[in-house]
Each structure stands twice: as structure tokens, then as C-alpha cells.
Amino acid sequence: MLEGVEAKALRSMVDDFKNQLGSAIIVLGLAEENKVSLIVGVTKDLVSKIRAGDLVKFVAQQVGGKGGGRPDMALAGGTQPQNLESAIVSVKDWLQENL
């Protein structure tokens, strides 16, 4: 969960993390007032195992939203920022079940 970041900066942050980490699955969430912004990035070596769209849909459902995108990057929005922290925490278990 991020603070002090604008939603439009999330995409470039995911690209930067993917370049720095080499092999990774990145999930970033931002809560602003009554709105949630989510982004998931998956490096090319992992898209055969995990699709960003599947993961972002899982997280978005928990924050009252929906989303989608490409296998390597997906976006979502939601309306329940109070659920964002627990939604981000749930990613670890989802990944363990799906990897």
C-alpha cells in the first residue's frame, strides 16, 4: 500500500520495479478518499505461470472493484479503501496457490 503517490505514477513505478528486479510479481495499491487504484506487473519470465489480469481481479474484488489488462500488466479500481491493506496481504496466499 502506497501513500503520497499519484495514481498516474503507478504504471511507471511498476516498470521501474520490473527492470530493477528482473524476475518479479509486483502489486501496488493506492487509496485516495473513497477510491482505490491497483496495478499488477508480472515480468516476462513469469507470465506463463501468473497473469497480471487474474491477480488484479482477485485483489480488486476485495476492494469493491474490478479490472483487467495484459498478461504482464493490469489495472483495477475499487471503492472500499478500508479493505486495501488486507487485500494486499492476501496476495501472498493467492500466489502460493497459483504458482
Side-chain angles (χ1 to χ4, degrees):
M1 197 164 82
L2 301 170
E3 293 182 16
V5 176
E6 292 184 25
K8 61 185 176 183
L10 293 178
R11 189 177 302 229
S12 63
M13 290 177 72
V14 167
D15 286 337
D16 289 345
F17 282 131
K18 284 167 62 173
N19 289 334
Q20 291 173 14
L21 299 171
S23 180
I25 298 166
I26 300 128
V27 180
L28 301 178
L30 177 64
E32 297 176 297
E33 297 179 19
N34 293 325
K35 182 176 158 186
V36 176
S37 297
L38 298 166
I39 189 165
V40 172
V42 178
T43 53
K44 292 181 191 229
D45 64 316
L46 296 175
V47 293
S48 64
K49 297 177 182 178
I50 297 292
R51 296 188 172 272
D54 295 340
L55 180 50
V56 85
K57 286 176 187 175
F58 168 76
V59 178
Q61 288 175 351
Q62 298 175 67
V63 294
K66 55 185 174 179
R70 304 184 317 255
D72 65 327
M73 186 177 291
L75 301 166
T79 58
Q80 299 169 353
Q82 68 275 15
N83 297 336
L84 180 57
E85 188 171 346
S86 62
I88 296 293
V89 169
S90 74
V91 168
K92 181 179 178 182
D93 289 337
W94 188 91
L95 287 172
Q96 288 175 338
E97 292 173 13
N98 289 279
L99 274 176

